[in-house]
Amino acid sequence: KLIGVYILFESNPELFFDKIVENVKIERKKRKISQLKLAQILDFSSPNYVAKIETRKHNVCYNLEHLCKIAEAFDLEVVDFLPYKKVIE
């Protein structure tokens, strides 16, 4: 039986944030949504903030409010952005 197990990163939160950002970017590109359009979803007028997040520069990351807005716009749940691995049980 294939199940998903959420990975906890208490010892390495930066890796956890990296994976969330990567998952949002994958979903953004699947939907052919530009950084500018995502910025607008997040109520920013410029794509610069999204670009900084996606490159993980300046220690910026999506916050919970951002993830809620993105999930709603992408018709997903916030947990869909959390890193997990598939395991066979």
Side-chain angles (χ1 to χ4, degrees):
K1 178 181 172 185
L2 185 64
I3 60 171
V5 176
Y6 289 98
I7 303 169
L8 303 176
F9 290 96
E10 290 91 349
S11 62
N12 191 346
E14 287 303 310
L15 181 58
F16 184 75
F17 290 132
D18 288 347
K19 294 293 184 186
I20 290 172
V21 169
E22 181 181 324
N23 291 341
V24 170
K25 185 176 181 179
I26 288 167
E27 292 298 329
R28 176 180 72 75
K29 287 187 168 193
K30 266 193 218 176
R31 289 162 174 75
K32 296 181 173 42
I33 293 175
S34 67
Q35 287 181 337
L36 175 59
K37 178 62 180 162
L38 182 55
Q40 291 168 342
I41 289 167
L42 298 175
D43 298 321
F44 294 107
S45 57
S46 164
N48 292 346
Y49 189 72
V50 171
K52 284 180 187 176
I53 291 173
E54 288 189 354
T55 57
R56 296 291 285 133
K57 290 185 179 175
H58 310 291
N59 244 357
V60 291
C61 190
Y62 296 113
N63 64 34
L64 187 54
E65 183 180 357
H66 294 152
L67 293 176
C68 289
K69 288 179 178 181
I70 295 167
E72 183 179 356
F74 290 5
D75 198 29
L76 295 171
E77 300 289 331
V78 170
V79 296
D80 294 328
F81 300 124
L82 300 181
Y84 71 96
K85 63 181 177 180
K86 294 177 184 166
V87 295
I88 297 176
E89 190 176 79

